[in-house]
Amino acid sequence: MIRPILHYSFHFIIPLIIALLFFPKQWKKVYLIFLGSMLIDLDHLLANPIFDLNRCSVGFHPLHSYYAIAVYCTSLFFTRTRIIGLALIWHIITDQLDCWMM
């Protein structure tokens, strides 16, 4: 029961805290970007079954692949994509934490 609570807290509450603490002047925009990073979960639609509680998404789904993660990390080096990259990396970290809790 604690696993889904932690997982969704890391997807919704921690990004809000990050936005408020590190981007106070534009926290709403940053928080929306963090929420938007969850669109990479659309790659779950390519899997069969679509949702498997015991499947680690990191390294399995295309937008959770190590190649995609490398692109997300690279985006941190560019001002225009830094917040998006941070949001995507946070999404991956959250999913990886969920994998470790299996």
Side-chain angles (χ1 to χ4, degrees), residues 1-101:
M1 186 65 186
I2 189 95
R3 186 173 152 206
I5 293 169
L6 281 174
H7 183 79
Y8 290 109
S9 294
F10 273 63
H11 272 311
F12 290 101
I13 297 170
I14 302 295
L16 178 60
I17 293 169
I18 291 170
L20 290 169
L21 286 177
F22 296 104
F23 305 95
K25 292 181 181 177
Q26 53 182 354
W27 73 269
K28 291 177 188 175
K29 174 185 166 188
V30 172
Y31 185 58
L32 285 174
I33 291 170
F34 269 81
L35 293 179
S37 75
M38 285 188 263
L39 288 172
I40 69 170
D41 281 337
L42 288 173
D43 64 0
H44 291 242
L45 296 173
L46 301 173
N48 187 14
I50 292 172
F51 178 74
D52 182 354
L53 184 62
N54 296 313
R55 179 176 57 217
C56 182
S57 60
V58 177
F60 183 83
H61 301 293
L63 296 175
H64 293 72
S65 70
Y66 297 108
Y67 296 111
I69 293 168
V71 172
Y72 306 155
C73 289
T74 303
S75 69
L76 294 175
F77 295 104
F78 304 98
T79 306
R80 295 182 67 111
T81 58
R82 188 168 294 142
I83 294 172
I84 295 169
L86 180 64
L88 290 167
I89 290 168
W90 181 255
H91 181 98
I92 296 295
I93 289 169
T94 298
D95 286 356
Q96 185 62 54
L97 290 171
D98 192 51
C99 295
W100 290 337
M101 289 189 286

